[in-house]
Amino acid sequence: PVSRDPFKLAYHIMPPKNWMNDPNGLVHWNGEYHIFYQHHPHGVTWGPMHWGHVKSTDLVHWKHEPIALTPGEIYDADGCFSGSAVDDNGKLTLIYTGHVFIDQEKDLVEQVQCIATSEDGKVFTKYPGNPVISAPPSEGSGHFRDPKVWKHGESWYMVLGTRKGDIGKVVLYKSKDLHNWEYVGVMLESNGLQGYMWECPDLIEIGGRHVLIMSPQGMEPVGDRYQNRFQTVYLTGDLDYSTGRFTYDTFEELDKGFDFYAAQTMKDKHGRYILFGWMDMWDSQMPTQQHGWSGALTIPRELLLTHDGRLAMQPVEELKKLRGRHSHKENLLLDETQSILPVANGAALELLVSLKLDGTAQKAGLLVRCSEDFRQQTRIYIDQNEQKLVVDTTASGEGPGGIRMTPLNTKGQEELILHLFLDRSSVEIFTEDGLTVLSNRIYPEETSLGVSVFAEGGTAAISTVDVWELEDIWE
Ligand code: FRU
């Protein structure tokens, strides 16, 4: 690996080295937040999955912990796949999928559900009675994974992803003790267009409704939506705990960016649902691999449900702890003579921009990670004619780059607030109070540090720009 690493993130969770994918086992236990993750500690690409581990007292400052799960038993010989964590009478309990390849070329696998426990939150012991679920239900198949467990009333419940033929499904189980599981039924399955395999399901009880979050493989793009080969969606509806049946009225992509998958939530001590996603994607290029690592998690996001069933993701309050040097600017006017105005410099920044919507410009927004000659830049803007929010990474740096857009209805509004979290190889964009979020990896040169506001095809006004430098938690 090259020694200087321009892509090392300042405040995102990333592996100490080598490969990371899904967040696993998010839990607030014994006064601390724990996060585990799919990890290959011996290579920069996917391999036999271990569970990496970080912990924090405040959700923003993280410390690496020893690897929590290592594959090697008969039932998890080829990997400890994704899963969740609960506090079981003071014991930190991990529930994960034991993975064995029967025939890797033919995609034949055997997947069973297992548990491991810890008294100190550091050293985990696999349950001698593993697996606790040793075979899929007849409605599923060998692809049977990613247990998410929660308590409802006196019982534990578990959702799992599976498939039958090319129909992705989520199934529900129930238990009194985490060891003996009773099959309840199919919670939901694809209508044929919603993916052939449903991964990483998560069911939350929020705003008087139930929201199912899951990551379908193989959904077809529809216009600007579902552009990733795999994506994470959410469904707002109602779960009937007795039959396991889930009925829904909303099915929507959760994050509209390039790099977001396999998200998982935890309910914390304040009763908030906090979500982290894998801030990468199976088919993304990962230029960090030349520096000895790959994969990261998004910033923590609090989930909120609107009255009409839409799920919003908002950066958690605690992120304000990372704020350092601050600058503030007001009333910036853009027109033909002045279509770009530099406002800040930096690679790890939080930006809060209030854009006036009464200008004549077709496009107005932000350029981040700009080189001095502006040849390198990441563009984030609103297209007023198209009524879309756009992120354009075609000139961002290494990697293929591309353009993502999502509908943004600004009719009747005076201002649009863009809230950005920029790190050395990522940018997360929040607007509309978290109803529109785009998470993206970018790989600019270390010297491309400019931040500007810009307009095209007319005038635009920015009422305020606030910029904070953010702390490097790994230093
Ligand atoms: C999702 C996923 C999960 C699986 C894990 C394996 O990204 O495919 O379904 O448990 O990754 O690493």
Side-chain angles (χ1 to χ4, degrees), residues 21-22 38 46 49 81-82 145-146 199-200 261-262 282:
N21 56 293
D22 313 357
Q38 289 287 280
W46 190 83
M49 282 293 106
F81 272 19
S82 285
R145 58 178 176 266
D146 310 337
E199 298 186 310
C200 303
Y261 194 61
W282 285 111

Side-chain angles (χ1 to χ4, degrees), residues 19-24 37-39 46-51 79-83 97 99 111 143-147 161 197-201 215 217 230 261-263 278 281-282:
W19 169 271
M20 159 192 280
N21 56 293
D22 313 357
N24 294 153
Y37 55 89
Q38 289 287 280
H39 183 38
W46 190 83
M49 282 293 106
H50 294 56
W51 276 36
C80 299
F81 272 19
S82 285
T97 296
H99 168 79
Q111 297 181 334
H143 287 273
F144 174 55
R145 58 178 176 266
D146 310 337
M197 170 68 202
W198 285 2
E199 298 186 310
C200 303
S215 297
Q217 293 188 327
F230 303 147
Y261 194 61
W278 176 30
M281 171 61 54
W282 285 111

Side-chain angles (χ1 to χ4, degrees), residues 258-332:
F258 287 95
D259 299 282
F260 183 86
Y261 194 61
Q264 192 181 119
T265 71
M266 74 174 123
K267 197 169 184 175
D268 79 350
K269 58 176 177 192
H270 310 292
R272 299 177 299 180
Y273 277 107
I274 314 279
L275 175 141
F276 285 81
W278 176 30
M279 193 165 60
D280 268 294
M281 171 61 54
W282 285 111
D283 41 5
S284 294
Q285 277 182 31
M286 299 177 184
T288 58
Q289 283 168 334
Q290 59 193 296
H291 300 284
W293 65 285
S294 44
L297 303 187
T298 62
I299 55 168
R301 301 160 179 194
E302 181 177 356
L303 297 179
L304 297 164
L305 196 70
T306 62
H307 291 298
D308 58 353
R310 291 193 296 161
L311 194 62
M313 298 191 282
Q314 296 180 353
V316 298
E317 254 325 279
E318 287 92 330
L319 287 159
K320 290 184 179 157
K321 289 184 164 194
L322 297 174
R323 288 178 177 176
R325 202 151 50 139
H326 173 231
S327 68
H328 174 83
K329 292 200 166 62
E330 288 179 13
N331 300 323
L332 308 178

Side-chain angles (χ1 to χ4, degrees), residues 148-169:
K148 174 72 202 282
V149 175
W150 74 102
K151 201 160 207 175
H152 176 81
E154 291 301 296
S155 297
W156 296 105
Y157 285 86
M158 177 198 288
V159 274
L160 285 156
T162 188
R163 66 185 284 183
K164 184 101 183 188
D166 281 342
I167 300 294
K169 302 187 185 198

Side-chain angles (χ1 to χ4, degrees), residues 51 85 100 178 182 186 199 213 271 328 330 334 374 376 405 439 461:
W51 276 36
V100 175
L178 296 172
E182 177 193 327
V186 175
E199 298 186 310
I213 297 169
H328 174 83
E330 288 179 13
L334 298 161
F374 285 93
Q376 195 161 78
M405 40 185 109
S439 305

Side-chain angles (χ1 to χ4, degrees), residues 6 10-11 325 327 342-351 367-371 378 420-427 442 444-452 467-470:
Y11 56 90
R325 202 151 50 139
S327 68
V343 293
N345 271 304
L349 302 174
E350 179 184 349
L351 297 132
L367 305 174
V368 299
R369 299 305 303 270
C370 301
S371 56
T378 297
L420 262 65
F421 283 82
L422 188 64
D423 205 337
R424 292 194 194 102
S425 55
S426 67
V427 57
I442 50 172
E445 273 165 45
E446 212 171 0
T447 49
S448 297
L449 294 170
V451 178
S452 297
V467 184
W468 292 268
E469 287 177 12
L470 298 182

